[in-house]
Amino acid sequence: MRDEPRTGEWETVSEKMSTTEQAAAHETVEAAIRSQLAKAFGGIRGVIEAAVPTAAFTVMWIATADLQRSLIVSVSAAVLLLVVRLVQRSTPQYVINSLIGIGIGWFFASRTGEAKDVYLPGILYNAAYSVAMLISIVTRWPVVGFLIGSVTGDPTAWRDDPAVVRLCTKLTWLLMIPCVVRVAVQAPVYLIGGNDAVAELGILKIVMGWPLQIAALAAMVWVLTRGRTPVRPAAS
């Protein structure tokens, strides 16, 4: 009689079954990417959690023009949202992302004493993200392709299929556009407006944050509904 697999072997078998089942659940590239995009975006609640700390900072700054107080209120709002997530035992990922962003903004603003610098990390992040995605497109390693790799268990196999590379390139362009628009609009306001433009920067950050991202997601979903590209290219 064959010996039963040991604990380590069971873990290996389980991992293989999980990867196989996950890939089987998405027979097309479009379905796989839609699934991963749904996980990446936090839904309505994620949108609200991303906007509340920025809104709190902006409102407090307008009311008091006190940088430290505005930062404390903003961080407190994010911490409260995090506590609610933890109490409900739901994923705190989106709140933590927001809290990290606020922490970096606090560091920049505290070093310079300029309230506008709370928004500088976001502008720099979008600029860097735009450049990184553009490089991925030019080198034919579009970042969206790695969403497929996370489903199939092979991070680079998707590059063997030119149709998949073309699809992922289109989707990466759509993902990049919001970042480019944010930099193009917010950077001049930051550079020219100074601390007089803190309220405007706060409003722009909210309006051009999740709304733009959701618009990009809608465009990506529209592209994804128009095709049925197999997850794995047909054997020749």
Side-chain angles (χ1 to χ4, degrees):
M1 182 180 292
R2 184 183 182 276
D3 293 337
E4 292 186 359
R6 293 184 293 274
T7 302
E9 292 175 340
W10 274 120
E11 291 174 354
T12 302
V13 170
S14 177
E15 289 173 1
K16 288 180 179 178
M17 287 177 64
S18 176
T19 301
T20 302
E21 289 170 0
Q22 196 174 27
H26 306 295
E27 296 180 354
T28 66
V29 169
E30 289 80 7
I33 295 177
R34 284 199 300 270
S35 173
Q36 295 303 92
L37 286 174
K39 293 178 183 178
F41 290 83
I44 298 299
R45 184 172 181 177
V47 172
I48 294 172
E49 288 172 342
V52 165
T54 298
F57 174 85
T58 303
V59 170
M60 184 57 62
W61 172 261
I62 293 173
T64 66
D66 187 317
L67 175 59
Q68 288 300 114
R69 187 180 301 177
S70 300
L71 286 169
I72 290 171
V73 169
S74 178
V75 171
S76 298
V79 170
L80 179 60
L81 292 171
L82 178 60
V83 169
V84 171
R85 280 280 192 178
L86 293 175
V87 169
Q88 295 178 341
R89 295 184 178 180
S90 59
T91 176
Q93 171 190 343
Y94 309 105
V95 182
I96 291 174
N97 290 344
S98 178
L99 193 55
I100 291 173
I102 296 166
I104 296 173
W106 188 324
F107 174 78
F108 273 65
S110 297
R111 291 290 297 269
T112 64
E114 300 284 333
K116 68 174 184 176
D117 287 335
V118 169
Y119 303 107
L120 179 58
I123 296 172
L124 295 177
Y125 170 82
N126 279 280
Y129 204 54
S130 299
V131 171
M133 284 192 285
L134 182 59
I135 291 173
S136 79
I137 291 170
V138 171
T139 58
R140 294 183 59 77
W141 283 89
V143 294
V144 174
F146 294 99
L147 294 180
I148 302 169
S150 67
V151 171
T152 62
D154 188 331
T156 61
W158 55 272
R159 288 200 78 243
D160 295 335
D161 190 338
V164 174
V165 174
R166 287 194 297 270
L167 173 63
C168 292
T169 297
K170 290 179 184 177
L171 296 173
T172 302
W173 276 114
L174 290 173
L175 198 60
M176 184 180 77
I177 288 172
C179 298
V180 174
V181 172
R182 290 184 195 117
V183 174
V185 174
Q186 294 175 19
V189 175
Y190 170 84
L191 293 171
I192 298 171
N195 277 337
D196 293 333
V198 169
E200 288 85 347
L201 285 168
I203 293 170
L204 285 173
K205 184 176 176 66
I206 295 170
V207 172
M208 303 184 76
W210 279 104
L212 263 186
Q213 207 67 39
I214 290 171
L217 176 61
M220 293 171 77
V221 169
W222 180 79
V223 170
L224 290 169
T225 57
R226 293 169 59 85
R228 290 186 57 82
T229 308
V231 170
R232 298 186 183 278
S236 55

